Amino acid sequence: MDRYQKFATSTLGRRVVPRLGLPTPHQLRRYAPGTPALDGPVLLGGGERLTRTAAGVCEAIGADVHAAPVEGQRYAAVVFDATGITDSTKLRALHDFFHPVIRSVGASGRVVVLGSPPAEQTDARTRVAQRALEGFTRSVGKELKRGATSQLVLVGEGAEGEVESTLRFLLSARSAYVSGQVVRIGPAPVSEPADWEHPLAGKVALVTGASRGIGAATAEVLGRDGAHVVCLDVPARGGELSEVANRVGGSSFQLDVTAADAPKKLVDHLLQRHGGVDVVVHNAGITRDKTLGRMDAALWDAVVAVNLSSQERINDELFGRDALRPGGRIVGVSSISGIAGNAGQTNYATTKAGVIGMVDALAGELASRGGTINAVAPGFIETRMTAAVPLLVREAGRRMNSTSQGGLPVDVAETVAWFANPASAGVNGNVVRVCGQSLLGA
Ligand code: NAP
């Protein structure tokens, strides 16, 4: 809990804060191994296409499913299959279903709307109606209080069986800081993990920039999920890097990813030590902030080299030497700066938008290898990077989202782990923001 959050939830703060019209950041429920996925029943309604699948997932995670609201019941999740909405006049079904129950969504509760990808619809009216779901779910996310979230999951034709890993993630406390997102799932060769608690057992994952912050948290979560994690960082961070690698039962590899021979050295290491790699997380990133008129070319070059060009060069080497195993995953780390733009960050935002371009450009290539590429776009995450931001800007960044608080590195890490899960093969070409539904950007 940050200082303001502690005050707002204290006895005095609970009296003062609402009177001043200030937000009360609710303590978000986060995943801990062994805890139930949901802390209450799920209300499930709507059309035919995905309801049965959703009910199956809820049962698999041990949740009680209600087909109709029960008076006075608090719901841990409310799921609605909106795929049957084929005309704007039928959008009223959203109001009919949610109006009576939306105030019964519990703390850190979940709203998930299931739809069909608008672009796949040949009928114009269906396309319009399905696109409309986005405005609905995003607004619901902004209305929900006490850490509850709202998402739209668009399930392509033939991908009905591929939604389990996504529903498990979005319904659970693993998605604590993800809200207002649209996730697309397409048909793909999904392999269900033998053990959902250790879906990455037997896999090798590479995480760059792993000595601290989001990278260290990602190494931990991928290790927890069963992967052997190769933790990479610059030689100057060797001490912290070894500590992280030891903690997660992985190995460390010191390398500056911008060095001319870095891709070769890295891929040599992955092939010789591990016979290849299954999950690559391009997390290493730097900021060198200045407004454009004051930014010299060295600051521009440094940021582009670390945040974008090094990743392209590593990908080329991985593909060229077939080091990414079939079904392999690449995860980019973008930023809401790359979506919304940010004063003082023309260099950084350029690279982070470039990461989104990389996802678009390589999704087809990865799909042809049975793999995926996706990106997380973090908002304000409590790390050393954001601790260096001036106080007022930092406070604004923390509060200007639906949860009124900053996220934790683990929130980004859990999202990466969902992409990496073998059961997420249908989740390809997505950019998912981990930003508590920041007011910045779409
Ligand atoms: P961080 O604490 O600064 O950690 C990044 C790590 O990457 C550092 O250990 C850094 O080492 C390392 N690194 C930098 N250049 C490298 C190179 N050439 N080769 C290998 N490693 C290198 O950052 P973070 O806050 O955890 O952020 C991680 C990622 O998330 C970054 O891509 C960042 O842009 C992105 N992100 C963060 C936030 C946030 O709120 N924190 C928001 C949006 C996006 P040095 O100490 O030498 O720099």
Side-chain angles (χ1 to χ4, degrees), residues 380-391 394-395 398:
F380 187 99
I381 306 296
E382 305 282 357
T383 65
R384 207 187 290 188
M385 191 181 260
T386 46
V389 172
L391 179 69
R394 187 161 77 231
E395 249 329 90
R398 246 187 212 133

Side-chain angles (χ1 to χ4, degrees), residues 87 95 127 130 133 153 162 236 330 342 350 366 376 383 407:
D87 187 284
H95 183 273
R127 186 169 180 162
Q130 289 297 310
L133 301 177
V153 179
E162 265 88 285
I330 297 181
N342 197 15
T350 298
L366 265 299
V376 282
T383 65

Side-chain angles (χ1 to χ4, degrees), residues 161-169 183-193 196 199-200 327-329 331 370-374 414-430:
E162 265 88 285
V163 296
E164 181 159 2
S165 72
T166 299
L167 277 185
R168 279 178 178 258
F169 172 68
V183 174
R184 278 170 291 108
I185 303 178
V190 164
S191 49
E192 190 173 310
W196 281 96
L200 299 177
R329 305 294 158 86
V331 182
T372 69
I373 179 167
N374 297 283
E414 295 283 10
T415 309
V416 172
W418 156 54
F419 288 147
N421 192 315
S424 300
V427 183
N428 188 21
N430 280 266

Side-chain angles (χ1 to χ4, degrees), residues 321-332:
R321 294 169 66 187
D322 241 347
L324 186 69
R325 286 201 269 258
R329 305 294 158 86
I330 297 181
V331 182

Side-chain angles (χ1 to χ4, degrees), residues 146 206 216 255 405 418 421:
R146 299 187 303 145
L206 166 76
L255 186 75
Q405 60 196 286
W418 156 54
N421 192 315

Side-chain angles (χ1 to χ4, degrees), residues 208-216 232-234 236-237 255-259 282-288 306-307 310-311 333-337 348 352 376-386 409 412:
T208 69
S211 72
R212 64 171 195 236
I214 292 169
L232 180 154
D233 214 303
V234 287
R237 301 256 162 264
L255 186 75
D256 177 344
V257 291
T258 63
H282 289 301
N283 164 78
I286 58 170
T287 50
R288 295 290 182 268
V306 178
N307 296 9
S310 70
Q311 303 184 9
V333 179
S334 179
S335 163
I336 55 167
S337 289
Y348 182 76
K352 294 302 183 180
V376 282
F380 187 99
I381 306 296
E382 305 282 357
T383 65
R384 207 187 290 188
M385 191 181 260
T386 46
V412 182

